[in-house]
Amino acid sequence: MTALGALSRRSVRGTLRDGDLLFAIGGPVAFFVCFTLTLRKVIDTGDMTYPQYIVAVIVVQAMIFTAMTTADRAARDHLSGMGIRMRSLPITALAPVTARMLSALVRAAAALAAALAVGYGFGFRFHGTVADLLAFVGIALLLSLALSLGADAMGSVANSTEAAGQTLLIPQLLLVMLSTGIAPAQSFPSWLGPFVRNQPVSVIAETLRGLAMGHSVRVGASMAWCLGLLVVFGTIALRMQRRAPA
Amino acid sequence: MTPFALLTARILGKSRMDLVFAVLVPMSGLIGLTFLLRDVITTGQMNYAQYILPAVVVQAMLFGALTTTDRAASEKASGLSSRMRTLPISPYAPLLARMAYCLIRGVLALTAALLGAYLFGFRLNSGFGYAAAFVLMSLTLTLALSLGADATGSKAGRTEVASQLLLVPQLLLVMLSTGLAPVDAFPSWLQTFVRYQPISQITETLRGFTSGHVTAGNLATSLAWCIGLLVVFGPIAVRLQGRTS
């Protein structure tokens, strides 16, 4: 078995053992149920039902949570000295981070499936073509990969596992709440409108919502955000991985 | 310096980042929820910041409990708990130190939530007695939840699993409560649960303290929840602390 195979298996097993996969599934289900039951009577989404409207942001949030777990995993590897031990072995420096990314994608896929399944139970329907579905899944997983690389880099320099995951909590909280994912832009104060409309969570949520309805909405902008984050965070994560231990 | 003071100082020294989050989480929650919901949820005469503050406070206390779970689990996993038992100190000193830290964290979170809400128009017009009751109930809740979380962490002994166990129920209880929206915003079949679950009862009481109108029944229910949780979780946490490995 290759080093990457062995490390990936270790990472995925850890995900199963430590309840991360359960959390990846339970998180989006809980958020979907909470937001739908609390807000569907008070937020006006026009002709679209609220479950149809909100699935997109639940998916985006699930991808962010995947990244938060990745930060925690990377911090644990870093603090336990695993990273240093790996550097002493005759394997590529990228194997540990690649293994963690594969594990993150497994969690992301499970979270995505859970979000769509719970949405379906509440009346969400995918009206797009197979190509739209593939684009929907592709953008979600690309976002997850990009954020997980950034989170991995953050976890690799963290001095505690708690700090690693918590650092992402506040930007996540603000970006999800102040987005068109939960409510249309007109629900927010007018001076906040430009930020709400153009921040990444809104852009990607609108694209995913459009794809679910069979339309192409701001696909270019979403891809630019995802690929931009992927390039920036990917470069940082790889540089962190190659850096000699202190 | 006593063992208790030393252990508390040790936790404070190691948890500077957590104290920063104790301030930032309620503030960002308040900002996000206020901008998102103040124009869509009808709260009658009360402005939305005034309405939502108790829910933000309770959420901050619950979030603090999650970090307590992690702390207790990591102390057990690292062997610190076992080492403490070999020293000539009270077996309860580490637990007391963790609880003292939780109260310090709770005070910080409460202060941050009040300051944040003040900027959005919240005012505490009910006088000193009600204000003191607001603080006291918030911190009693923090202590009760922290004892339960500490017991969970000590029992789990694995930092990865510990706090995740509590996150989903906490989320469901806060969001499906009258903390964020009045009961009639929810589907009719869910309204009975929403009205009587503990977070709703406690947020209603805290809201009453801020306005100066608290119904006796609601106050009694909230006190019963807070003291009940304290009575249940306290002995469990103490028993786990006193138990030899």
Side-chain angles (χ1 to χ4, degrees), chain B residues 181-226:
Chain B
V183 75
D184 47 2
F186 295 89
S188 53
W189 57 269
L190 194 64
Q191 287 182 4
T192 307
F193 167 77
V194 168
R195 190 179 282 113
Y196 296 110
Q197 60 111 323
I199 302 297
S200 292
Q201 293 294 319
I202 292 164
T203 53
E204 289 293 338
T205 304
L206 292 175
R207 200 174 291 125
F209 288 148
T210 67
S211 62
H213 309 294
V214 186
T215 63
N218 178 240
L219 177 61
T221 308
S222 296
L223 283 172
W225 272 112
C226 289

Side-chain angles (χ1 to χ4, degrees), chain B residues 60-77:
Chain B
M61 302 307 156
L62 285 161
F63 186 74
L66 292 183
T67 67
T68 307
T69 311
D70 282 335
R71 195 169 299 105
S74 65
E75 286 196 3
K76 187 181 179 186

Side-chain angles (χ1 to χ4, degrees), chain A residues 17-20 23 30-31 34-35 37-39 41 76 166-167 169-170 173-174 177-178 187-189 191, chain B residues 18 21 24 28-29 33 35-37 39 63 67 158 160-161 164 167-168 171-172 175 184-187 190:
Chain A
R17 183 191 64 235
D18 298 335
D20 289 345
F23 177 67
F31 272 105
C34 289
F35 280 128
L37 294 179
T38 310
L39 302 177
K41 281 170 81 174
R76 253 182 281 146
Q166 280 184 0
T167 307
L169 185 72
I170 289 156
L173 195 66
L174 287 170
M177 284 183 170
L178 302 180
S187 303
F188 295 90
W191 60 269
Chain B
D18 184 47
F21 283 111
L24 292 180
S28 47
L33 287 167
F35 283 136
L36 172 65
L37 300 176
D39 293 335
F63 186 74
T67 67
R158 288 243 301 280
E160 311 85 84
V161 181
Q164 287 186 7
L167 187 67
V168 173
L171 180 73
L172 287 165
M175 290 203 72
D184 47 2
F186 295 89
L190 194 64

Side-chain angles (χ1 to χ4, degrees), chain A residues 37-49:
Chain A
L37 294 179
T38 310
L39 302 177
R40 72 171 164 191
K41 281 170 81 174
V42 294
I43 289 180
D44 179 23
T45 52
D47 295 336
M48 194 181 285
T49 66

Side-chain angles (χ1 to χ4, degrees), chain B residues 23-36:
Chain B
V23 171
L24 292 180
V25 168
M27 281 210 164
S28 47
L30 193 78
I31 291 165
L33 287 167
T34 304
F35 283 136
L36 172 65

